[in-house]
Amino acid sequence: MSTQVQEALQALGARLRGFRKDAGFASGRAFARATSWQESKVSRIENGKQRPSEDDIRVWCETTGQGDQLGDLVAIVRHVDEL
């Protein structure tokens, strides 16, 4: 994974972590329960270790009440694919 991709994924993960915390999910574990995901998946996405799918972004935005951010975040994921 290139440095540019890693940096983009880390920035995206930090943004998603902020959404999770703002929505009242104090831990990745609580968010994982709400989404029926594995806790490790939440951690990997938030720490830039895993590229979220567009579907993952959609679920994240819906669960955190950030639906208005969906288009921007999907564009970021698509940009990462091009790096």
Side-chain angles (χ1 to χ4, degrees), residues 24-53:
F25 295 100
S27 68
R29 178 175 291 151
F31 187 75
R33 278 195 298 265
T35 57
S36 299
W37 289 350
Q38 295 292 320
E39 188 177 347
S40 59
K41 176 178 179 170
V42 175
S43 176
R44 285 191 309 266
I45 290 172
E46 287 188 352
N47 290 299
K49 305 283 187 205
Q50 177 178 330
R51 177 206 166 277
S53 68

Side-chain angles (χ1 to χ4, degrees), residues 5-79:
V5 168
Q6 188 60 42
E7 288 173 356
L9 288 176
Q10 287 173 344
L12 176 61
R15 191 166 169 191
L16 293 172
R17 184 182 311 109
F19 290 173
R20 171 181 58 79
K21 290 180 177 182
D22 289 348
F25 295 100
S27 68
R29 178 175 291 151
F31 187 75
R33 278 195 298 265
T35 57
S36 299
W37 289 350
Q38 295 292 320
E39 188 177 347
S40 59
K41 176 178 179 170
V42 175
S43 176
R44 285 191 309 266
I45 290 172
E46 287 188 352
N47 290 299
K49 305 283 187 205
Q50 177 178 330
R51 177 206 166 277
S53 68
E54 290 182 25
D55 222 27
D56 293 339
I57 296 293
R58 196 168 291 107
V59 169
W60 205 294
C61 287
E62 289 171 3
T63 305
T64 60
Q66 295 287 338
D68 60 326
Q69 299 296 312
L70 180 60
D72 186 40
L73 295 176
V74 166
I76 291 170
V77 169
R78 288 179 182 171
H79 177 70

